Amino acid sequence: MGHKLKIAGWVSVGVVAGALTTVSLQTVARGAMTPLPLEEIQQLSAVFGLVKTDYVEPVDDKKLITDAISGMVASLDPHSQYFDKKSFKEFREGTSGRFVGVGIEITQEDGLIKVVSPIEGSPAFRAGLKPNDLITQIDETAVKGLALNEAVKRMRGEPNTKVTLTIFRKDESRTFPVTITREEIKTQSVKGKVIEPGYAWIRLSQFQERTVDDFVRKVEEIYKQDPNVKGLVLDLRNDPGGLLDAAVAISAAFLPENVTVVTTNGQLAESKSTYKAAPEYYQRRSGGDPLRRLPAAIKSVPMVVLVNEGSASASEIVAGALQDHKRATIMGSQTFGKGSVQTVRPLGPDTGIKLTTARYYTPSGKSIQAKGIVPDVMIDESEEGNVFAALRMREADLDKHLGSGQGEEKKDAAREKAREEARKRLEEEAKKPAADRKPPEFGTDKDFQLVQALNQLKGRPVLVSKTLAERKDEKKEN
């Protein structure tokens, strides 16, 4: 690990707090703290005492305290979280890309659990779960009002055990149960192939410990199959993020050495950092730099990067770096906008808190937080358009989301009108047979956005979006 990462620890840029998220493990000397508010501390003590003496049934002391900690941290923003012993262990497992569960990335929406995307090849993927599915019940437990980490705990378990999820699928207007057998999830974060002579496609579904090595091997395979690659599509759609050093390394694979990839800024001195396209900023172990094995042509091959609303954090860092340095054309839809750094502070050997400690900025100084990356070319998901774009959730839609810190505009009433129109169209769409509404698999010849990316690389006409427009920032009301 390079000197920057030795200071910063393992830093996460994952979008989700759930089935697979990775963050830093870091211990730092704390600076002087302001005096605690005595009156409020006394109130906390008084409430604790009242619950102990007056509540209808006895309550465990430790549960009261841990719930108070959990509520305090969760009230800050959607990505800060308290970890008990089990969830702390699961969080650590995420860095290796291995864990036991159903295999979904999740977030919260209206008190329910929303599927950001199923992990490819996982039990949830094979069971047919889709992005935007809402989980309303886990076994016999209703999800409404359940903390996100508690929902995750209920979906995790031992290998070969079963869990039943009750799913509400908006676009089909139906609720149905799905029983899934838990297994160890070994996520394969890199896919790729030669699409046609001279043109290749590489998809990153997550940024993990193995991602850089797997990426290098995949590029080597592609160039062995076709040494004359003249166009490359880097597919980051529905990639929710992962490890910062992996994002820096993937960016460095395509950029000149030592250029800025991303900067961070927060209250702590170590939160004010600049990460560059050099081994000391992404190499987390001794030994040779795996990027040295890449063919020299990778630095100059014409590129398109595909992104969408599910592209977050690490994906946005890569897309923003390649966009700012004019290394690639960014195509698709505006990204999620999760531009904040989370760091895990151990509270003991088995517990800790995940705390938002900084914001990310692209090389040109633009904040990613609650904004995302705006593509150079907006592309719909299908030839017929993308009529439900107004309904899609991004970081700015999350309750208590962190602002960008660069000024926000007032809420746009036109967007609310567009959402209402989209809801009506959704009702009509739900009447169609399910087969007619199933989106094509990424990387196939029916992948409309990939076809447009290839057209861009070949200098052919591109069918730009009929419906998508940049989402402006909204002013947060105090």
Side-chain angles (χ1 to χ4, degrees), residues 440-462:
E441 183 182 351
F442 291 161
T444 66
D445 57 358
K446 299 185 184 301
D447 185 342
F448 177 77
Q449 292 182 320
L450 177 57
V451 171
Q452 301 313 306
L454 292 173
N455 285 342
Q456 175 76 20
L457 290 169
K458 296 173 183 178
R460 295 177 178 176
V462 171

Side-chain angles (χ1 to χ4, degrees), residues 367-399:
S367 173
I368 295 171
Q369 175 60 22
K371 291 186 175 183
I373 302 299
V374 179
D376 302 305
V377 183
M378 293 281 199
I379 298 294
D380 288 326
E381 289 183 333
S382 70
E383 190 171 0
E384 290 73 34
N386 197 12
V387 295
F388 307 120
L391 293 176
R392 296 201 171 166
M393 186 182 67
R394 296 174 60 252
E395 175 81 7
D397 299 317
L398 297 179
D399 188 31

